[in-house]
Amino acid sequence: MNARLKDPILTQMHSRWLGKRITLAHGAGGRAMRELITEIIAPAFDNPLLAPLEDQARIPAEFLQAGESLAFTTDSYVVSPIIFPGGDIGKLAVCGTVNDLAVGGAQPRWLSCGLILEEGLPIDTLIAVLASMGAAAREAGVCIVTGDTKVVGRGAADAIFINTAGIGTIPRGRHTGPRNVRAGDKLVINGTLGDHGIAVMAARNDLALQIPVRSDCAPLNGLIDVMFTAAPGLRWLRDCTRGGLATVANEFAEEGGFSLHLDEAALPVADAVRGACEILGLDPLYLANEGKLAALVAAEDCEALIAAMRTHPLGCDAAVIGEVHAERKGLVVLRSRFGGERVVDLIDGEQLPRIC
């Protein structure tokens, strides 16, 4: 049995499910599916908006305050393996969607959960993943209020795929985007690069690597609220997921019509990640993260922003890693430790597939 089932939350689940597996009947719309939803899925996400178990969640309009606007996003998660050091597919599905909302300045509020389950999936594994989703949602302060479950035959999926959509509210006065950016603005990151990509890769059974790295998977909305309090004029934010910091930096430069100059000596990379990259020929700039963000901020606000970020557990390694320049529009340029320069381009394909 999975050790995660010792979690007190999991003990609330009905013991009659432990040791059983998903069958096609659990997605057929009948009694088996109803029992799966009411006894396993709904209790993991328990909240008043979900409790009626209608085909939709009815969200009272008074949740919106004057001057707020809505943000809406969706993402699907197919990570392999589904459980890895520092997280699992459930935690990833909540944190990824929460972060997609938060980097737009939104305060995430409600999520949906679409489950695609492969016939034969151990139900104790499903319970562990759902409990992880529930814990991540509570940590982020969001509610999972609606969802859907499908079961497919053996071989039609890889254990479990999850889609989460999210709605958040953007407080009045938060306006991020390329039009705000000016030459001289600083590029800031909240911590070390590549932890998630290396953790997932090392967890794969076909790689006999012993690398002490845990995924950085985490909800960033609390940190981002701290950042907006310290620097209300934050220019632009993105989370550094697939494609890593290099992809985000190129998106900033291309969409914003400026160049970004990165300082290699300032890039935070954990020793274990750096060592794994050297062995495997990977570049940490392109490795996926699930708890890191890149932010552009006015130079005069940078010191206060970094100080505030370092008061938050997810921002204690915050650092200034680059600067916006007006010339060489659309390029990302890395200044090496030895004073040289190279262009950091978008990568063709992915260094590591199915990492989120």
Side-chain angles (χ1 to χ4, degrees):
M1 183 181 295
N2 193 316
R4 295 161 65 91
L5 295 181
K6 297 176 181 177
D7 189 305
I9 295 173
L10 301 181
T11 63
Q12 299 174 17
M13 306 290 187
H14 201 299
S15 60
R16 77 182 182 89
W17 289 93
L18 300 182
K20 294 187 175 180
R21 292 179 178 272
I22 290 292
T23 69
L24 291 175
H26 289 123
R31 182 188 303 275
M33 185 171 180
R34 180 72 179 177
E35 290 176 348
L36 182 74
I37 293 172
T38 58
E39 296 185 21
I40 290 183
I41 298 175
F45 306 148
D46 184 42
N47 64 76
L49 294 180
L50 175 64
L53 293 180
E54 298 281 359
D55 287 341
Q56 75 295 127
R58 301 172 188 173
I59 299 171
E62 55 262 34
F63 276 107
L64 270 178
Q65 304 298 315
E68 291 186 338
S69 55
L70 290 176
F72 179 37
T73 188
T74 186
D75 206 342
S76 298
Y77 299 86
V78 298
V79 65
S80 176
I82 60 172
I83 297 173
F84 46 84
D88 55 56
I89 192 171
K91 182 179 182 182
L92 192 63
V94 171
C95 295
T97 295
V98 162
N99 294 344
D100 284 345
L101 291 168
V103 294
Q107 294 174 328
R109 290 179 177 268
W110 309 284
L111 302 186
S112 69
C113 171
L115 299 170
I116 297 177
L117 310 177
E118 182 186 17
E119 180 188 16
L121 173 71
I123 290 184
D124 57 356
T125 299
L126 175 63
I127 290 173
V129 168
L130 294 174
S132 180
M133 291 188 76
R138 288 187 289 276
E139 180 182 355
V142 299
C143 292
I144 298 172
V145 297
T146 188
D148 178 61
T149 301
K150 295 290 188 298
V151 178
V152 297
R154 293 176 187 270
D158 188 358
I160 179 171
F161 295 155
I162 302 177
N163 172 273
T164 46
I167 295 175
T169 53
I170 303 176
R172 183 193 310 182
R174 290 188 181 183
H175 303 290
T176 62
R179 287 182 296 181
N180 303 324
V181 181
R182 304 287 183 270
D185 286 351
K186 304 298 184 184
L187 179 65
V188 169
I189 197 160
N190 64 310
T192 53
L193 299 173
D195 299 30
H196 177 72
I198 292 296
V200 171
M201 184 198 66
R204 290 180 178 166
N205 292 330
D206 54 345
L207 291 174
L209 294 175
Q210 299 293 324
I211 303 173
V213 178
R214 296 172 60 83
S215 168
D216 58 352
C217 182
L220 293 169
N221 51 322
L223 172 64
I224 291 173
D225 280 341
V226 168
M227 293 170 66
F228 272 106
T229 299
L234 265 178
R235 308 291 206 200
W236 204 1
L237 300 96
R238 289 271 169 94
D239 50 342
C240 306
T241 55
R242 277 185 303 175
L245 174 66
T247 297
V248 170
N250 273 278
E251 290 172 352
F252 278 154
E254 291 180 9
E255 296 173 28
F258 50 78
S259 66
L260 263 177
H261 289 232
L262 306 180
D263 181 358
E264 184 181 34
L267 296 175
V269 181
D271 291 342
V273 171
R274 191 184 303 281
C277 287
E278 290 174 354
I279 292 171
L280 298 169
L282 301 174
D283 187 341
L285 275 175
Y286 293 93
L287 287 176
N289 314 272
E290 290 294 341
K292 298 300 181 318
L293 60 84
L296 291 170
V297 61
E300 59 269 26
D301 294 336
C302 190
E303 184 176 346
L305 178 68
I306 292 289
M309 291 174 71
R310 288 176 177 169
T311 67
H312 192 281
L314 298 178
C316 54
D317 294 319
V320 181
I321 59 170
E323 185 177 273
V324 173
H325 289 205
E327 67 281 4
R328 305 169 75 180
K329 298 181 187 300
L331 287 183
V332 177
V333 180
L334 179 71
R335 186 173 61 252
S336 77
R337 299 172 187 273
F338 308 104
E341 288 188 349
R342 70 174 173 93
V343 172
V344 178
D345 208 348
L346 287 171
I347 195 171
D348 292 325
E350 286 190 76
Q351 289 193 114
L352 302 170
R354 293 192 60 191
I355 45 72
C356 64

Coordinates of all heavy atoms in Angstrom, one line a residue, residues 266-299:
A266 N 24.5 35.4 -11.8 CA 23.4 35.6 -10.9 C 22.3 34.6 -10.9 O 21.4 34.6 -10.0 CB 22.8 37.0 -11.2
L267 N 22.4 33.7 -11.9 CA 21.3 32.7 -12.0 C 21.4 31.6 -10.9 O 22.4 31.0 -10.7 CB 21.4 32.0 -13.4 CG 21.2 32.8 -14.6 CD1 21.5 32.0 -15.9 CD2 19.8 33.4 -14.6
P268 N 20.4 31.5 -10.1 CA 20.5 30.5 -9.0 C 20.2 29.1 -9.4 O 19.1 28.8 -10.0 CB 19.4 31.0 -8.0 CG 18.4 31.7 -8.9 CD 19.1 32.3 -10.1
V269 N 21.1 28.2 -9.3 CA 21.0 26.8 -9.6 C 21.5 26.0 -8.5 O 22.7 26.2 -8.1 CB 21.7 26.5 -11.0 CG1 21.5 25.0 -11.3 CG2 21.2 27.4 -12.1
A270 N 20.7 25.0 -8.0 CA 21.2 24.2 -6.9 C 22.4 23.3 -7.4 O 22.4 22.9 -8.5 CB 20.1 23.3 -6.4
D271 N 23.3 23.0 -6.5 CA 24.5 22.2 -6.9 C 24.1 20.9 -7.5 O 24.7 20.4 -8.5 CB 25.4 22.0 -5.6 CG 26.1 23.3 -5.2 OD1 26.1 24.2 -6.0 OD2 26.5 23.3 -4.0
A272 N 23.1 20.2 -6.9 CA 22.6 18.9 -7.4 C 22.1 19.0 -8.8 O 22.3 18.1 -9.6 CB 21.6 18.2 -6.5
V273 N 21.3 20.0 -9.1 CA 20.8 20.2 -10.4 C 21.9 20.6 -11.4 O 21.9 20.0 -12.5 CB 19.7 21.4 -10.4 CG1 19.3 21.8 -11.8 CG2 18.5 21.0 -9.6
R274 N 22.8 21.4 -11.0 CA 23.9 21.7 -11.9 C 24.8 20.5 -12.2 O 25.1 20.3 -13.3 CB 24.8 22.8 -11.2 CG 25.9 23.4 -12.1 CD 26.8 24.3 -11.4 NE 26.1 25.4 -10.7 CZ 25.6 26.5 -11.3 NH1 25.8 26.7 -12.6 NH2 25.0 27.4 -10.7
G275 N 25.0 19.6 -11.2 CA 25.7 18.4 -11.4 C 25.0 17.5 -12.4 O 25.6 16.9 -13.3
A276 N 23.7 17.3 -12.2 CA 22.9 16.4 -13.1 C 22.9 17.0 -14.5 O 23.1 16.2 -15.5 CB 21.5 16.3 -12.6
C277 N 22.9 18.3 -14.6 CA 22.9 18.9 -16.0 C 24.2 18.6 -16.7 O 24.3 18.3 -17.9 CB 22.6 20.4 -15.9 SG 20.9 20.8 -15.5
E278 N 25.3 18.7 -15.9 CA 26.6 18.5 -16.5 C 26.8 17.0 -16.9 O 27.3 16.7 -18.0 CB 27.7 18.9 -15.5 CG 27.8 20.4 -15.2 CD 28.8 20.7 -14.1 OE1 29.3 19.8 -13.5 OE2 29.0 21.9 -13.9
I279 N 26.2 16.1 -16.2 CA 26.3 14.7 -16.5 C 25.5 14.4 -17.8 O 25.9 13.6 -18.7 CB 25.8 13.8 -15.3 CG1 26.8 13.9 -14.2 CG2 25.7 12.3 -15.8 CD1 26.3 13.3 -12.9
L280 N 24.3 15.0 -17.8 CA 23.3 14.6 -18.9 C 23.3 15.5 -20.1 O 22.6 15.3 -21.0 CB 21.9 14.6 -18.2 CG 21.7 13.5 -17.1 CD1 20.4 13.7 -16.4 CD2 21.8 12.1 -17.7
G281 N 24.2 16.6 -20.0 CA 24.2 17.5 -21.1 C 23.0 18.4 -21.2 O 22.6 18.7 -22.3
L282 N 22.4 18.7 -20.1 CA 21.2 19.6 -20.1 C 21.6 21.0 -19.7 O 22.6 21.2 -19.0 CB 20.1 19.0 -19.1 CG 19.7 17.6 -19.4 CD1 18.7 17.1 -18.3 CD2 18.9 17.5 -20.8
D283 N 20.7 22.0 -20.1 CA 20.9 23.4 -19.7 C 19.9 23.8 -18.7 O 18.7 23.7 -19.1 CB 20.9 24.2 -21.0 CG 21.2 25.7 -20.7 OD1 21.2 26.1 -19.5 OD2 21.5 26.4 -21.7
P284 N 20.2 24.1 -17.5 CA 19.2 24.5 -16.5 C 18.3 25.6 -16.9 O 17.2 25.8 -16.4 CB 20.0 24.8 -15.3 CG 21.4 25.1 -15.7 CD 21.6 24.2 -17.0
L285 N 18.8 26.5 -17.9 CA 17.9 27.6 -18.4 C 16.6 27.0 -19.0 O 15.6 27.7 -19.0 CB 18.7 28.4 -19.4 CG 19.6 29.5 -18.8 CD1 20.4 30.1 -20.0 CD2 18.8 30.6 -18.1
Y286 N 16.7 25.8 -19.6 CA 15.5 25.3 -20.3 C 14.8 24.3 -19.5 O 13.8 23.7 -20.0 CB 16.0 24.7 -21.6 CG 16.6 25.6 -22.6 CD1 18.0 25.9 -22.6 CD2 15.8 26.3 -23.5 CE1 18.5 26.8 -23.5 CE2 16.3 27.2 -24.4 CZ 17.7 27.5 -24.4 OH 18.2 28.4 -25.3
L287 N 15.2 24.0 -18.3 CA 14.5 22.9 -17.5 C 13.2 23.5 -16.9 O 13.2 24.7 -16.5 CB 15.4 22.4 -16.4 CG 16.6 21.5 -16.9 CD1 17.5 21.1 -15.7 CD2 16.0 20.2 -17.5
A288 N 12.2 22.6 -16.7 CA 10.9 23.0 -16.2 C 11.0 23.3 -14.7 O 11.7 22.6 -14.0 CB 9.9 22.0 -16.5
N289 N 10.2 24.2 -14.3 CA 10.0 24.6 -12.9 C 8.5 24.6 -12.6 O 7.7 24.9 -13.6 CB 10.6 25.9 -12.5 CG 12.0 26.1 -13.1 OD1 13.0 25.8 -12.5 ND2 12.1 26.7 -14.3
E290 N 8.1 24.3 -11.4 CA 6.6 24.4 -11.1 C 6.4 25.2 -9.9 O 5.3 25.2 -9.3 CB 6.0 23.0 -11.0 CG 5.9 22.3 -12.3 CD 4.9 22.9 -13.3 OE1 4.1 23.7 -12.9 OE2 5.1 22.6 -14.5
G291 N 7.4 26.0 -9.4 CA 7.2 26.9 -8.3 C 8.1 28.1 -8.5 O 8.5 28.7 -7.5
K292 N 8.4 28.5 -9.7 CA 9.3 29.6 -10.0 C 8.6 30.6 -10.9 O 7.8 30.2 -11.8 CB 10.6 29.2 -10.6 CG 11.4 28.3 -9.7 CD 11.8 28.9 -8.4 CE 12.6 28.1 -7.4 NZ 12.3 26.7 -7.3
L293 N 8.9 31.9 -10.7 CA 8.3 32.9 -11.6 C 9.4 33.9 -11.9 O 10.4 34.0 -11.2 CB 7.2 33.6 -10.9 CG 7.5 34.4 -9.5 CD1 8.0 35.8 -9.8 CD2 6.2 34.5 -8.7
A294 N 9.2 34.5 -13.1 CA 10.1 35.6 -13.5 C 9.3 36.9 -13.5 O 8.1 36.8 -14.0 CB 10.7 35.3 -14.9
A295 N 9.8 37.9 -13.0 CA 9.1 39.2 -12.9 C 9.9 40.4 -13.4 O 11.1 40.4 -13.1 CB 8.6 39.4 -11.5
L296 N 9.3 41.2 -14.1 CA 10.0 42.5 -14.5 C 9.5 43.6 -13.6 O 8.2 43.7 -13.4 CB 9.7 42.8 -16.0 CG 10.3 41.8 -17.0 CD1 9.8 42.1 -18.4 CD2 11.8 42.0 -17.0
V297 N 10.4 44.4 -13.1 CA 10.0 45.4 -12.1 C 10.9 46.7 -12.4 O 12.0 46.6 -12.9 CB 10.3 44.9 -10.7 CG1 11.8 44.5 -10.5 CG2 9.8 45.9 -9.6
A298 N 10.3 47.8 -12.1 CA 11.1 49.1 -12.3 C 12.3 49.0 -11.4 O 12.3 48.5 -10.3 CB 10.2 50.2 -11.9
A299 N 13.4 49.6 -11.9 CA 14.7 49.6 -11.2 C 14.5 50.2 -9.8 O 15.1 49.7 -8.8 CB 15.7 50.3 -12.0

